Amino acid sequence: MRAVDGDAMLELANSLAEGNCGSAPPWELAAAVDLLIASFGNGQQRRSVDEVRLAMRALNAHRHFYHAQRLGEAWHACVGLDPTIAKHQAQALINLSGLDAAERLLHEALSAAEAPGASADAMSEIVEYQGLLGRIDKQRFVSRANKGSLVKATDRYLEQFHAHRDKPYWLAINAIALMSRELKEGLPPRPASPTQMAQVLCERLLALHANDPGDSWLCSTLSETYLALGECESAEFWLYRFLHHPRTLPFHVESYERQLREIWQGSALGTGPECANRLATIIARYVLRSEARVSISPGRVQAITEAIAKRPAELEKNFAGESGFSLALLQRMVSACSSIGCVTKRGMERLGTGFLVAGAEINPAWGAEPVFVTNAHVISEEVAGAIPPSDALVTFEVECATAPQPVFHRIAEVLFTSAPGNLGMRCARQDSLDVTIVRLTETTTGFSGLATARALPLVSQKAKTYVVGHPLGSGLQISLHDSLLLDIDDDGRLIHYRTPTDPGSSGSPVFNSQWEVIGVHHGGSASMPRLRGEGCYEANEGIAFHAVRSGASVTSPATSQ
C-alpha cells in the first residue's frame, strides 16, 4: 500500500487554501482535498470560505476538476450554498461533462442570488451563472447536434450581452460565434448580424488592448472576432500574438482550440472552413512544438486512415513531425485509438483513461476476450478519490462516433487490483502497481485490444515513449514530442519518461516506438526521484506492463495487494 506523509499532506492542504496546487501526484492531491473537507465537516468549519474559494479556483486553474467538484460538493453539504464556491463547482462539473448536475447547481445559485436580501457577492455572480448556463447549452449542441440547444445557448449569451454591455467581452464573442454557427446550420438570421456585432466588438477590444496589453484573452478574442469578420490575415496576426503572449497558459490555448474546433468547425486536416482551418493548423503546430501533443477526433479516425494511404509522404512529414515515423507506424498509431477508453463516473464526469488488451496477454486463465486496464486510483473501492466499480462507466470514442448515441460499458467483474505506491518508489516486490483490471459488459466483437511488448526497450538517447489518452477529460490526445524514455528501474517495474500528460491521462497506455504497450501511465512530478542515484528530475512515471502481467498472473481475481 502507498504511504501518506501526514505532515506533507497538511502542508499541501495549507498550500491549496492559499491558492497554490503545486505539482503533487493525483493521490496526494486527493488526500490533501480530504483534509480540507474534514476541516469544515461536522460543523467544525476550521477553514474559511475565502480559503475554500482560493483552493477551488487553483484546482480549476490547474485543471484538477474532479477535486474541485469534490471540494465544492462537500462545502455545499456541510456548510451550505456559497455563491463563488457554487460557480467554481459548476465550472468543474462542466469540464467533467457533468452538464445536468452543473445546471441544477446553477439554477439553485441563481434563485438564491435573485432572492430579496441576497448578498452583494451572490448578485455579482449572476452574469457568471448565466454565462455558464449558456456554455452548458453550447456543449449539449456540440455533443448531440441538437439545434434547439444551439438556439438556447445563443439566446442566453445575447440576453446577458444586451443586459450587461459593460460586462466581460466573452459574452459578446460567444454570441457572435454561435450566431455564425446558426447561419451555417440553416437557422433563421437574427435581427443583428454576427458581422455587425463583430465590427462593434472589434473596436472595443482594440481600445481595451491599447490600455491593457497584459491581458492575453484580449488577443485570442480579437483573433476570433476577425475570424467572424472574415479577415483571416488579422485573425492570424492576433492568434500569433496570443500564442506568444507571456501570460498565455496551455489552458487558454486549449479553450480557443476547442472553440475553433467545436463551433467554427476548424480542422488542421483541412476539413472545415478555410480561415478556421488555417487558425486550427497554426494552433496544432504550436501545440506540437510546445505542449507536445496532438488532438485526434474519433469521428475522423477513418478519414485520417484514408488520408494516410492517399498522401503518405505529406502526412509522414507534417503529422508526426519526425522523419523516422513511417507510414506503417502512423497506421498503427491511428488504429490503436479504437481500443483506448475514457473512464467516466455516473453523472458523466470524465476522470481517467484505460485500454483494452486480450485477457490471455496478462493471465492465461482470462481467455482471449479483451479486458480493460486502468489505474487503481481511477477505479477502486479502497483508493481515495477513485471511482467505485459500481459507479464507473467506460466509453470508446471511436465506437461512439459511429453510433447514434454514446455507448457506455459498465464494469462486469474486477479481475485484479493493486493499490498505488509513491512516485519513484523503487522496490523489488511486485506490488503497489496502481492498476485495476476489469471485464466490461457488452464489449463489442470489434475490439481486438492493443498489442503488448514482450520486453522493455533499451534506455538510450534515441529511445521514445508515446502516450494516448484523455487528459483533462478531453477527446483522445496523442503525445508525440518531448517523448524521451528517461530510465527504467533495475527491477523492470517503473518506467520514467518526459512524454507530456495531464490529469485524466491516468491509466493511459504507454507505447514503445513500435506502438506496442510497455506500461500503464499513473503519475508525474517536476521533482520526481531519480531511479538511479540521488536527486530529482522532471518526469512522468508508468508501471511496466510486464510487472502488471507478473502481479496479475499469480493472484486470484480481484486480489488487492
Side-chain angles (χ1 to χ4, degrees):
M1 288 291 282
R2 62 196 168 96
V4 176
D5 186 324
D7 291 339
M9 291 306 98
L10 181 58
E11 182 179 350
L12 180 55
N14 290 335
S15 182
L16 271 176
E18 295 170 357
N20 181 16
C21 279
S23 57
W27 51 89
E28 288 186 7
L29 199 59
V33 170
D34 287 341
L35 280 178
L36 285 178
I37 291 172
S39 71
F40 54 75
N42 301 318
Q44 298 174 23
Q45 197 174 335
R46 294 192 299 271
R47 293 287 183 179
S48 71
V49 65
D50 287 335
E51 288 177 312
V52 177
R53 287 175 176 178
L54 282 173
M56 292 188 67
R57 180 179 178 180
L59 288 166
N60 277 341
H62 288 81
R63 299 178 290 190
H64 297 297
F65 301 122
Y66 175 61
H67 296 310
Q69 187 274 332
R70 287 179 58 223
L71 195 55
E73 183 178 49
W75 181 274
H76 193 187
C78 297
V79 183
L81 180 73
D82 174 77
T84 303
I85 289 176
K87 175 186 69 177
H88 292 316
Q89 184 183 352
Q91 289 170 334
L93 283 165
I94 293 170
N95 282 287
L96 292 167
S97 302
L99 302 182
D100 292 345
E103 186 175 46
R104 289 192 295 271
L105 177 61
L106 288 167
H107 281 304
E108 179 186 356
L110 263 178
S111 296
E114 293 172 344
S119 68
D121 275 353
M123 290 188 289
S124 70
E125 299 287 6
I126 290 176
V127 177
E128 297 285 339
Y129 297 155
Q130 293 287 4
L132 289 171
L133 287 168
R135 186 181 166 196
I136 288 172
D137 287 321
K138 180 170 70 171
Q139 293 306 124
R140 284 177 174 154
F141 162 69
V142 169
S143 61
R144 304 172 188 174
N146 185 318
K147 294 182 181 179
S149 295
L150 173 59
V151 172
K152 284 179 65 178
T154 311
D155 287 343
R156 198 176 293 274
Y157 280 117
L158 279 173
E159 179 183 355
Q160 293 305 303
F161 168 69
H162 291 307
H164 306 280
R165 289 183 181 268
D166 59 331
K167 293 296 179 181
Y169 43 81
W170 52 264
L171 294 168
I173 194 58
N174 272 287
I176 290 166
L178 293 171
M179 289 166 66
S180 300
R181 185 60 184 269
E182 283 183 345
L183 295 176
K184 291 180 182 178
E185 296 290 331
L187 295 171
R190 294 178 180 262
S193 73
T195 302
Q196 291 171 333
M197 282 187 62
Q199 288 171 340
V200 175
L201 178 62
C202 188
E203 294 177 5
R204 179 189 172 200
L205 292 173
L206 288 171
L208 287 172
H209 184 267
N211 292 325
D212 184 13
D215 186 347
S216 66
W217 282 113
L218 284 168
C219 298
S220 66
T221 309
L222 272 163
S223 175
E224 189 173 357
T225 304
Y226 279 115
L227 170 62
L229 291 170
E231 299 181 25
C232 204
E233 295 297 327
S234 295
E236 286 190 19
F237 171 80
W238 285 102
L239 174 56
Y240 281 116
R241 278 200 166 187
F242 169 63
L243 294 175
H244 297 290
H245 195 287
R247 295 187 183 177
T248 295
L249 301 174
F251 173 78
H252 303 151
V253 177
E254 181 186 20
S255 297
Y256 189 23
E257 185 275 335
R258 183 177 62 244
Q259 181 85 337
L260 283 172
R261 173 168 39 89
E262 294 181 346
I263 304 303
W264 294 100
Q265 299 177 290
S267 168
L269 294 171
T271 58
E274 181 180 356
C275 187
N277 286 346
R278 286 169 62 181
L279 301 180
T281 300
I282 292 169
I283 291 182
R285 290 172 178 166
Y286 171 83
V287 169
L288 282 171
R289 287 196 307 270
S290 61
E291 295 182 59
R293 70 164 62 104
V294 60
S295 296
I296 183 167
S297 168
R300 297 294 301 158
V301 166
Q302 184 60 37
I304 294 170
T305 303
E306 294 171 359
I308 290 171
K310 292 178 181 177
R311 298 179 290 137
E314 177 181 344
L315 287 175
E316 282 179 35
K317 178 181 177 182
N318 294 330
F319 184 76
E322 296 187 13
S323 59
F325 244 70
S326 69
L327 172 62
L329 291 181
L330 282 173
Q331 290 172 328
R332 289 184 198 175
M333 177 181 70
V334 174
S335 65
C337 294
S338 61
S339 295
I340 298 170
C342 186
V343 183
T344 303
K345 185 178 181 181
R346 291 186 189 274
M348 300 303 104
E349 298 97 333
R350 298 158 66 98
L351 301 178
T353 302
F355 58 96
L356 294 169
V357 297
E361 285 284 317
I362 303 175
N363 187 328
W366 293 347
E369 289 297 312
V371 297
F372 187 75
V373 181
T374 187
N375 287 149
H377 77 260
V378 173
I379 296 178
S380 174
E381 291 283 3
E382 288 82 26
V383 179
I387 310 171
S390 59
D391 289 339
L393 299 169
V394 176
T395 58
F396 297 91
E397 293 205 351
V398 174
E399 177 188 31
C400 292
T402 58
Q405 57 186 2
V407 181
F408 295 100
H409 300 274
R410 299 183 303 279
I411 307 301
E413 179 185 7
V414 177
L415 299 171
F416 175 77
T417 185
S418 175
N422 290 336
L423 288 174
M425 185 177 72
R426 293 170 288 182
C427 70
R429 297 184 310 159
Q430 293 297 309
D431 60 2
S432 301
L433 298 174
D434 192 12
V435 68
T436 293
I437 304 172
V438 303
R439 203 178 294 281
L440 300 177
T441 61
E442 303 165 1
T443 303
T444 68
T445 56
F447 290 116
S448 58
L450 299 175
T452 61
R454 306 310 296 182
L456 290 169
L458 295 175
V459 178
S460 73
Q461 292 181 345
K462 295 183 178 180
K464 298 293 185 72
T465 58
Y466 305 108
V467 176
V468 183
H470 294 271
L472 310 171
S474 70
L476 280 175
Q477 292 193 2
I478 305 171
S479 291
L480 294 176
H481 294 284
D482 197 21
S483 53
L484 295 177
L485 172 63
L486 296 175
D487 208 352
I488 300 172
D489 72 347
D490 290 335
D491 300 309
R493 177 179 163 276
L494 298 180
I495 307 170
H496 281 183
Y497 40 88
R498 287 188 58 85
T499 317
T501 63
D502 269 313
S505 298
S506 295
S508 295
V510 182
F511 294 95
N512 63 14
S513 59
Q514 297 301 309
W515 287 91
E516 299 167 323
V517 176
I518 60 169
V520 185
H521 172 73
H522 83 134
S525 174
S527 54
M528 176 76 73
R530 291 179 178 271
L531 293 177
R532 301 172 196 278
E534 302 300 323
C536 300
Y537 53 7
E538 294 181 350
N540 277 310
E541 182 175 277
I543 304 298
F545 196 78
H546 89 90
V548 173
R549 183 186 290 119
S550 297
S553 63
V554 298
T555 54
S556 59
T559 296
S560 179
Q561 297 188 14

